[in-house]
Each structure stands twice: as structure tokens, then as C-alpha cells.
Amino acid sequence: MTDKPVTLAAIIGAHGVAGEVRLKLFGEGAEALKSYKSFDAAGRVLTLKSVRPGPNGAVARFAEIGDRGAAEAMRGTALTVPRSALPLLPEGEYYHADLVGLPCTSSTGETLGEIVAVENFGAGDIIEVQRPSIEGKPGKRFMAPMHVVVLSEDGAVIDAAFAE
């Protein structure tokens, strides 16, 4: 596990005139953000003063944002924390951020590439794998449902039937 930044929310605009911001959430909800005292916001540290559920996500107040103009200027900014700040997960659960970049092989031993994305279209997680480049041309991508993937410390093994 590396300590890469993990995006928990993004500022989508101002809320009111006192510097509160509206947040799009990428995690467990507004309450989960309370366990973090500060966030990296494009190289700037923002100290969380309060957060509550709001329209389309949450409404937050940060010590460094004092008025509506400052809040509007932060629109589109991702709020991240180091991976090491996230809570430990039970056996069999994973953070998407831990999967991206993992090398993949098929169940028959063929090198497939690496995971570049984890998607969920409603029926469960699906990984997207980028095949290696060949003769300077980028490799093709394919998707596989998470239930045919076995994760380990060394990478992911995908059932050969799903590895195109």
C-alpha cells in the first residue's frame, strides 16, 4: 500500500454568503468526513470546522474559507487525504484506490496488464484492465466483473474466460 492521495469529496460551489461550500461526496457520507481534521485541496490545506448533509451531498465550513467569493473560487477542487488516514477494512473488502495500478494475470498465467479503473454500474464492481503497449501502440482495455477476480499482495488474478 502506498500513501497516495484518496479523493473523498469535491467542492461543487458556494452555499450562502459566509464561506460554506457544497460538496459532492465519494465516500460513506457527510458523517464520515468528520473523522478527518484537514484535507489537501490542490496543494492547500483546508481545516474542517463543520460538515452536515446537504443538497446533492454535504455542506461544509473550512477555517481557511471566509466568504462566498473564496468559496466560489474553490469550485471544482478535490479534497483528498493520504491513503494511510483511511480506516482499516474487514477481510474481503477493499478501497478502489488500492486496486488501481495492480498488475493482472489470467488464471492460466498470462500477463494481462494493470487495473486502471474500478466502475460500478449497479450490479457490482467491475475492473477495467489496460493491456501492455505493443510496438509503441497502446494496448486495448477490457473489463471483468469483480467476482471473477482474486486479489493478493502481488496483484489480481482474473479468470481466463473473462480476459478476452
Side-chain angles (χ1 to χ4, degrees), residues 2 11 13 22 24 28 37 45-46 48 52 83 101 103 107-108 110 114 121 145 154:
T2 64
I11 298 173
R22 292 180 294 119
K24 178 178 181 178
E28 296 285 322
K37 296 194 184 324
V45 175
L46 295 180
L48 184 66
R52 65 184 188 279
R83 168 59 183 90
S107 55
T108 60
E110 175 191 1
E114 74 176 34
F121 302 109
D154 301 326

Side-chain angles (χ1 to χ4, degrees), residues 57-139:
V59 175
R61 180 179 302 277
F62 293 98
E64 296 78 9
I65 302 175
D67 60 37
R68 184 175 181 87
E72 281 294 339
M74 297 296 293
R75 181 188 300 262
T77 303
L79 302 177
T80 66
V81 297
R83 168 59 183 90
S84 61
L86 298 176
L88 295 175
L89 293 173
E91 182 76 25
E93 292 187 23
Y94 51 86
Y95 288 112
H96 290 188
D98 291 341
L99 301 183
V100 175
L102 279 180
C104 298
T105 56
S106 75
S107 55
T108 60
E110 175 191 1
T111 299
L112 298 174
E114 74 176 34
I115 297 174
V116 294
V118 181
E119 305 290 349
N120 189 316
F121 302 109
D125 287 343
I126 298 172
I127 61 166
E128 185 172 1
V129 178
Q130 173 77 49
R131 288 201 175 260
S133 299
I134 299 174
E135 298 175 7
K137 295 181 182 177

